[in-house]
Each structure stands twice: as C-alpha cells, then as structure tokens.
Amino acid sequence: MSSAPHLPPLPSDADLRRLVHFSAGDGRIWLSGQRMLLVHAAALHVLRRELMNTLGPSQTRRLLLRAGYASGKSDALLARQVRPDASLFDTFAVGPQLHMLEGAVQATPLLFEIDEAGGHLHCMYRWDHSWEAEAHAHDFGPQDDPACWMLLGYASGYTSAFFKRPVLYKETQCTACGHSHCLIEGRFAEEWPDQEAMAQDYLPDSMLVQLDELQSQVHTLRTQLEPADDLGRLIGRSRAFEKTVALLRKAAATQVTVLLTGETGVGKERFARALHAMGARADKPFVAVNCAALPAELIESELFGAEKGAYTGASATRIGRFERAHGGTLMLDELGELPLPAQAKLLRVLQSGEIERLGANETRRVDVRVVAATNVDLEKAVEEGRFRRDLLYRLNVYPIRIPALRERADDIELLALHLLQKYAVRHGKRVAGFTDRALLAMRTHAWPGNVRELENLIERGVILAPSDESVDADMLFPHITVQMGATVNARGSLERTMAAPAAQSGALYDTLQHSGLSLEALEDTLIREAVARAGGNLSAAARTLGLTRPQLSYRLSRLNERKGP
C-alpha cells in the first residue's frame, strides 16, 4: 500500500517521450501505435462553447466526460507495456505523465493508496494549468461547480482500464471556481456512497440513446437486405464492393449463368454463396467443386457421375456434383483448369440441361444454376487453345468481376475487425482491437494475397497480441520497421530519429568494415548485447534498441533460426 507520506517522485518520462513521434513528411503524429492530433486550444475553446450553447451545461458535461473517458482508456493500454517491470506507482504514473505530455494539465500526486485484494483505492492529484478550467472561466466567467469535465473523464477512464474495474473520480476544487489549483479524488466505484449518481454521468444521454436506437434499426433493416450466406453477410461499403453487390442482386432474381472473375484470394466462393442465398434456390443445395484440385482422369465422374463398372475401381454407382446440386446451385471454381474433354461435356449440360453418367446409355435432366469462377484470363486461354471458345461464350453471359482487396480500401478496417472477432473467439483470447498504426499499415499494404492474406495476418496478430491489448502493426507485419521521423527530447524540442549524423555514420561504417562483420551479424551482436545488458528483460532491451517487444522477439527468433540447434 502506498500513501502520501511515502510517495516517491514521478519517474522520468523519457520512455514516454520516445513513444511520441512527429512524422512531418506525411502529416501524422503518433503516440506508440495511436494517431494523435496537435490541436489549437482555441479550437477546443470554440467547440466547448458551441456545445454549451447548443446542448446546455448538463449534456455538454456528460458528453465531454465520456470523450475524456475514452481517451484515458486508450492510454491505459500503454502503461503496462511501457513499464512492465516497474513498481505499481511508477507504472500507474504513465497516465498522469501522458496527460501532462499531451498538454492537458500538470498533475502532481498527493495520495496513492491501493489494496486491490481488499477492494480499496484512494487517489488524490493536484492539477495546475488545466486547459478546461481556463477555457470555461474565460467564456462563462467564475463558476459554482468544477469545470474540468474531459480531464476528469480521462482520469476515470485511465484508472478503470488500468485496474480493470470501475473507478470514478470527483473534482473537489477547480480554478474555474476561484481556487488556486484543481484537486481530484478517485476511488473504486463501489467505495463511493453516491456511485450510482456518479456512474450516470458516463451513460449515454437520452437524446443520444434514441438516435443510437434509430441507427440500430436502420442498420438491422439494411443488414436484412445485404447479401449473406450460411457463413454470414458479405462485409463492405466501398464503391467497388457496392457495385459488385448490385450486380449480384440483379443476377439473383434470374436463372442466368454467372461467371465470377478476379484474383486469387478475393473470396469468389463467398460471393457465389451470397448469390445463391439471395435467389429463389436459397433453400436448395449449394455445391462447390474446385476443378484444379481434381485429377484429370476423375473430373468427369466427379461432375457427371459414373455407373458401376464404368472404369477400373468403379465398384458402385457414383452420383456426380450436378445431380447433387439438382434444384440448387453448382459452383465450378478454377474453371480455367478444366480439361478440354470435360469442357465439351459441360457445354452440352449448359445447352441442354442434361447429363450422362460415365458408362450410362441414358441422359438425366438436371435443374442447376451454374456459377463459374476463375482467376485465369479465359480470352487468352482460348487463344492458346486451352479453353473452348463456344464454352466461353456460353459462360460469359453475365460476368461479374470481384475487386481485389487493394481496390476496396474502405472495406479493410471492417473486414479486419470482423476477422479479429472471429479469431479471438477461435483462440479464446480477448483483444482490444487495432492500433491506429496497424490500421494505417493495413490500408497502405498492397495485399497481393487479397482477403485470404488478410485472414492469415489477422490470425497471426491475435496470437501475438498480449491479452486485453491492441494488435499493432509489427504484429501483422513483423518484417517492417516503421520509421517515425522525430520525437520529443527532455527540453521539449523535436529531435530527429531517422538517422545518425553524417560523421557518426561514417565512423560506424568504418567500424563495420574493419570488424569483418556483415550487417546481419552486426544486428545479431547488438541484439544479444542489449538482451544481456537488460538481464534478459526483452521489454527493456527493446526500448534501448528503439524497437517494440514483438519486433525484438521476431528478430530473436530469426537469430536463433540462423544459429541452428
């Protein structure tokens, strides 16, 4: 238990300043993996004044409390990552120190009593130079009640997320009320006698609840109209996605044969299933067959069936995929790999609606909607003699191109969040979401493997992310080191972090040449030395190297692979 007489000074904030990066070249500021904004205080003054005049003091207070709560909750995710081996007081101090680093207020701890097992927490902090108190007093004059609403919400959000249980703060004095400084007091929610009234401040306002309910109803109605299959609805909102879905809807109302084209991994089968689910055949079978995965000598029997004794090993009658899909939909994936003899039989089925099993003397009628899919340029395949021109004409009545993921930039975050939830459930793990840097990395990635690649990366990110923390960019792309530009030094000035000075770079290069080490060997040596000096503490070693812990872990794993058993 820590209390006022024994409170140590706040630890150095050098580790936190290293997390703040100014990337002037692309107009971004980062706090670790979260994007930040450097906003004029005057702009926040205007926003606060407009909210007060529009919503009134009560609604504005609750809105700003919740906004501050969300900000504090985000910062709490950093605390145990940045100082995993520090004392509880020093680790908790990340919040007040970040609050200061972000320019919100000067925070001085006066009391820090904590007994988690006994359910007791009592914190008191002095606040000086509160931007909120200054803004409120400037616009509305001296107040009877404290006015640091967003700052108070930050304290409650940060402490609640840090201890993973509800914590509420009160502002007991405020400079907007004429005091020399502001003072806040925090306790576990159940320790406050008026906790229910205090907790109400963080509940959505009745007006916002009604708007949210209306939005939910609209979302529900839209969802019912969206294409879906037994695996769930298709996810997207980009123009390329909406254009494709519009074509699917038009085709669903007909019996036209559909040709789905697009790169590998774009999800052609999912779109085919959605087309089936939207049409009149939704309650009938959907059968998918990958033509490239079937041996050439067996593909005809797989598609059309075979009578007993039709070929060596045919010991029983075999029902083909066309018959299994009777009344429903048959998807022929990787159609460009279909052998020419099978192409001729497929053309006959599409023209007559009849199949003939291998070894049979009679035809059978089938009622099947065919959806073909390929990533092969069929026109080129026709020119090369690998695909029948008449079959292409028969299939190409209603072509739909499935856009590549890089063409669906607006869908990447939606898909990633959906997959995050899916894999978190599969692996029994709680993950807080994605950092802003991870979302940026995904938006700028080329995605040569499309949605399939995204699935693999998200699953890896879920596995690598610590429980209850966010997936960062280096967990998705461990081979990429993000260069951030500049950070803040102890004097509050920007300091370049991109490269060493020219003279120092020359000396390093000469040392490397004389040592006979390769660049790879030099990196291995530096990593081993950093880990040794940190006593095996990977988090501390990563900080000295300017890396995140996952980045260092990835490099260590590569080092061990090169070293061998």
Side-chain angles (χ1 to χ4, degrees), residues 253-451:
T254 71
Q255 301 304 314
V256 66
T257 298
V258 174
L259 176 63
L260 301 178
T261 63
E263 298 176 6
T264 298
V266 294
K268 291 187 283 292
E269 184 172 341
R270 287 300 312 277
F271 281 86
R273 287 180 177 274
L275 173 64
H276 172 75
M278 287 189 290
R281 299 173 180 264
D283 58 342
K284 302 298 183 181
F286 176 91
V287 178
V289 56
N290 188 327
C291 299
L294 295 174
E297 63 273 14
L298 295 179
I299 197 164
E300 290 187 36
S301 63
E302 281 289 334
L303 291 177
F304 311 116
E307 295 291 349
K308 180 179 179 180
Y311 56 86
T312 303
S315 57
T317 298
R318 184 184 187 88
I319 298 176
R321 303 294 178 96
F322 269 94
E323 288 184 79
R324 294 184 198 175
H326 181 70
T329 301
L330 175 67
M331 179 190 179
L332 299 175
D333 200 4
E334 304 291 355
L335 184 71
E337 305 300 326
L338 197 66
L340 286 170
Q343 291 180 29
K345 290 194 173 184
L346 174 60
L347 178 62
R348 177 184 174 186
V349 176
L350 293 176
Q351 291 174 335
S352 66
E354 296 179 340
I355 65 162
E356 185 175 322
R357 292 177 181 170
L358 290 179
N361 296 319
E362 59 181 19
T363 60
R364 299 171 182 269
R365 289 204 62 81
V366 288
D367 175 20
V368 173
R369 181 197 196 131
V370 173
V371 178
T374 182
N375 61 354
V376 172
D377 184 341
L378 294 182
E379 289 282 1
K380 184 177 180 181
V382 168
E383 293 174 4
E384 295 174 350
R386 295 184 293 109
F387 202 83
R388 294 178 61 103
R389 185 175 297 277
D390 49 2
L391 178 57
L392 174 59
Y393 291 154
R394 189 67 181 80
L395 290 171
N396 207 28
V397 177
Y398 198 90
I400 300 178
R401 178 181 172 274
I402 310 301
L405 186 57
R406 62 181 172 277
E407 300 170 34
R408 302 173 53 189
D410 292 338
D411 299 337
I412 291 174
E413 183 173 348
L414 293 175
L415 288 165
L417 290 171
H418 170 75
L419 293 169
L420 184 76
Q421 183 179 25
K422 169 185 171 181
Y423 289 119
V425 171
R426 175 177 296 182
H427 296 290
K429 193 171 186 180
R430 292 179 57 184
V431 182
F434 296 101
T435 66
D436 293 334
R437 190 166 60 186
L439 293 173
L440 174 64
M442 286 190 283
R443 284 195 293 269
T444 56
H445 185 57
W447 298 112
N450 291 295
V451 178

Side-chain angles (χ1 to χ4, degrees), residues 145-315:
D145 298 312
C148 299
W149 303 329
M150 187 176 287
L151 302 186
L152 194 68
Y154 178 98
S156 295
Y158 174 82
T159 312
S160 296
F162 184 89
F163 288 111
K164 299 181 180 179
R165 58 190 297 182
V167 175
L168 297 172
Y169 279 80
K170 286 183 179 180
E171 188 175 10
T172 56
Q173 64 181 54
C174 181
T175 55
C177 302
H179 298 105
S180 61
H181 58 268
C182 303
L183 191 66
I184 64 167
E185 183 177 353
R187 299 178 184 271
F188 287 133
E190 61 271 18
E191 293 189 274
W192 289 108
D194 54 346
Q195 64 161 311
E196 291 187 8
M198 294 175 67
Q200 288 293 322
D201 289 335
Y202 295 94
L203 297 178
D205 297 312
S206 57
M207 176 184 68
L208 297 178
V209 169
Q210 293 174 15
L211 290 174
D212 194 48
E213 287 178 350
L214 289 173
Q215 187 178 17
S216 297
Q217 292 174 17
V218 171
H219 177 72
T220 300
L221 291 173
R222 288 188 62 189
T223 300
Q224 292 172 354
L225 298 175
E226 289 175 345
D229 58 21
D230 54 348
L231 299 178
R233 68 185 182 89
L234 294 179
I235 296 172
R237 63 185 178 195
S238 65
R239 289 186 177 180
F241 173 83
E242 292 293 348
K243 181 179 178 180
T244 302
V245 168
L247 290 173
L248 281 179
R249 286 199 180 98
K250 291 180 180 179
T254 71
Q255 301 304 314
V256 66
T257 298
V258 174
L259 176 63
L260 301 178
T261 63
E263 298 176 6
T264 298
V266 294
K268 291 187 283 292
E269 184 172 341
R270 287 300 312 277
F271 281 86
R273 287 180 177 274
L275 173 64
H276 172 75
M278 287 189 290
R281 299 173 180 264
D283 58 342
K284 302 298 183 181
F286 176 91
V287 178
V289 56
N290 188 327
C291 299
L294 295 174
E297 63 273 14
L298 295 179
I299 197 164
E300 290 187 36
S301 63
E302 281 289 334
L303 291 177
F304 311 116
E307 295 291 349
K308 180 179 179 180
Y311 56 86
T312 303
S315 57

Side-chain angles (χ1 to χ4, degrees), residues 449-460:
N450 291 295
V451 178
R452 190 175 299 137
E453 181 186 4
L454 177 64
E455 289 178 331
N456 294 338
L457 292 189
I458 299 303
E459 184 169 18
R460 178 170 65 196

Side-chain angles (χ1 to χ4, degrees), residues 512 515-533 545 552 555-556 559 562:
L512 179 62
S515 69
L517 292 173
S518 66
L519 184 61
E520 187 176 73
L522 178 62
E523 178 182 299
D524 291 350
T525 302
L526 289 173
I527 287 173
R528 283 195 294 266
E529 184 66 19
V531 173
R533 292 195 184 193
L545 294 170
L552 178 58
R555 284 167 168 77
L556 280 171
L559 188 158
R562 290 194 294 269

